[in-house]
Amino acid sequence: MNIANNILKYNLQNVYFLVGTACGGKTTMAREISKKYGFIHFSDNWNDDVFKVWQSIIDEKYQPNATNRKEIDWEEYFSRSVEEFLADKNDNHGTNEYLEFSIIELVKLSQNNKVIADIWIDDWEFLMEISDYSRIACLLAPGEMIIRDYYERADHKDFTDCIKSLHEPEKKFETQNELFMIGAREMAEKAKKHKLYKIMRSETSTIENTLSLLESHFCLSHS
């Protein structure tokens, strides 16, 4: 059974979505909004409990593309070329399977609470059909800033340590850096194409200023 997008939209009226690049401030802003306004912060971080629940219910019959992290050969995974990574990104059935789980969780959580969702949604046409412009914000960072900051973040430590433990880590980091640059450009173009509200992080950006911009866009100051 497929649930129509208009039904999902009706049931997601209390959900605010943050999308965008790595290091754009999604997690930080979700935490700030959650703390200030009492929103539930819903994230799809692989280290979070919600992802562990998702992993525990995977059924090959319904989620044939989902992969358990323990089964991944990380040497083989990170040895792929930029072109192979991009091809895998475009064939994102596994991500879509997880998105179905996330949407159901958001419907459940938002019935009596407001929720700030910091999740990966690649299909922005779908996102715009299940939410409104005023409940979606795109937080971006330039590629150079992502490369500088990504590996130093505590929540990315497993990712960084994994690559460091592999053969020729320098080459693998170079591949990831190129992917970050490509991803940052594509995400900025995508936000422009879909005319989403966007905030580009810069060296002068502050948590307070970004939060103020989001409060205005989400009309939180008046709620």
Side-chain angles (χ1 to χ4, degrees):
M1 177 181 69
N2 293 320
I3 302 175
N5 290 346
N6 63 316
I7 296 176
L8 290 176
K9 183 174 182 177
Y10 176 80
N11 283 278
L12 292 170
Q13 295 179 72
N14 282 334
V15 179
Y16 296 77
F17 292 92
L18 296 178
V19 297
T21 66
C23 301
K26 300 187 300 298
T27 300
T28 299
M29 287 301 105
R31 289 173 179 163
E32 290 295 317
I33 290 173
S34 173
K35 180 172 61 176
K36 185 171 182 177
Y37 293 96
F39 284 22
I40 294 174
H41 176 195
F42 182 85
S43 173
D44 60 1
N45 189 299
W46 276 18
N47 294 318
D48 287 349
D49 290 339
V50 66
F51 190 82
K52 295 174 184 176
V53 173
W54 156 242
Q55 288 284 301
S56 73
I57 67 170
I58 287 174
D59 187 322
E60 187 176 353
K61 177 181 178 181
Y62 302 108
Q63 292 86 31
N65 300 289
T67 303
N68 191 313
R69 294 187 76 193
K70 294 180 181 179
E71 299 173 354
I72 298 176
D73 182 333
W74 293 113
E75 185 68 57
E76 179 180 351
Y77 179 85
F78 283 112
S79 294
R80 295 181 298 171
S81 66
V82 169
E83 292 72 24
E84 288 172 321
F85 269 105
L86 293 176
D88 185 51
K89 172 189 171 185
N90 292 329
D91 183 20
N92 59 1
H93 298 297
T95 303
N96 290 337
E97 290 170 355
Y98 180 37
L99 179 59
E100 292 178 1
F101 174 84
S102 295
I103 294 297
I104 292 295
E105 290 298 302
L106 287 172
V107 169
K108 289 160 52 180
L109 291 170
S110 65
Q111 292 312 293
N112 299 305
N113 302 279
K114 289 191 176 182
V115 180
I116 184 75
D118 165 24
I119 64 175
W120 178 258
I121 301 181
D122 190 55
D123 186 349
W124 287 4
E125 284 82 4
F126 168 71
L127 175 60
M128 295 170 71
E129 287 191 8
I130 65 170
S131 189
D132 287 324
Y133 172 84
S134 61
R135 296 199 304 275
I136 306 170
C138 183
L139 304 184
L140 305 169
E144 296 82 1
M145 189 175 289
I146 298 174
I147 292 170
R148 184 194 69 191
D149 295 348
Y150 188 89
Y151 307 111
E152 301 301 321
R153 283 178 43 166
D155 55 337
H156 297 155
K157 186 176 186 301
D158 288 347
F159 176 89
T160 304
D161 288 348
C162 179
I163 296 180
K164 287 181 177 178
S165 70
L166 302 175
H167 180 63
E168 296 185 319
E170 296 82 5
K171 289 185 178 180
K172 294 175 174 59
F173 277 121
E174 287 176 5
T175 298
Q176 295 305 308
N177 290 345
E178 187 171 347
L179 289 168
F180 284 142
M181 294 296 292
I182 293 171
R185 290 194 299 269
E186 289 182 346
M187 195 71 73
E189 292 169 0
K190 195 173 178 180
K192 182 178 180 180
K193 172 185 175 183
H194 292 284
K195 300 179 180 179
L196 290 183
Y197 178 78
K198 60 183 182 296
I199 301 173
M200 176 65 76
R201 184 182 163 203
S202 71
E203 298 297 344
T204 60
S205 296
T206 65
I207 291 176
E208 293 76 17
N209 183 57
T210 304
L211 177 60
S212 178
L213 292 172
L214 287 175
E215 287 175 324
S216 178
H217 174 64
F218 288 150
C219 298
L220 298 181
S221 302
H222 308 293
S223 59

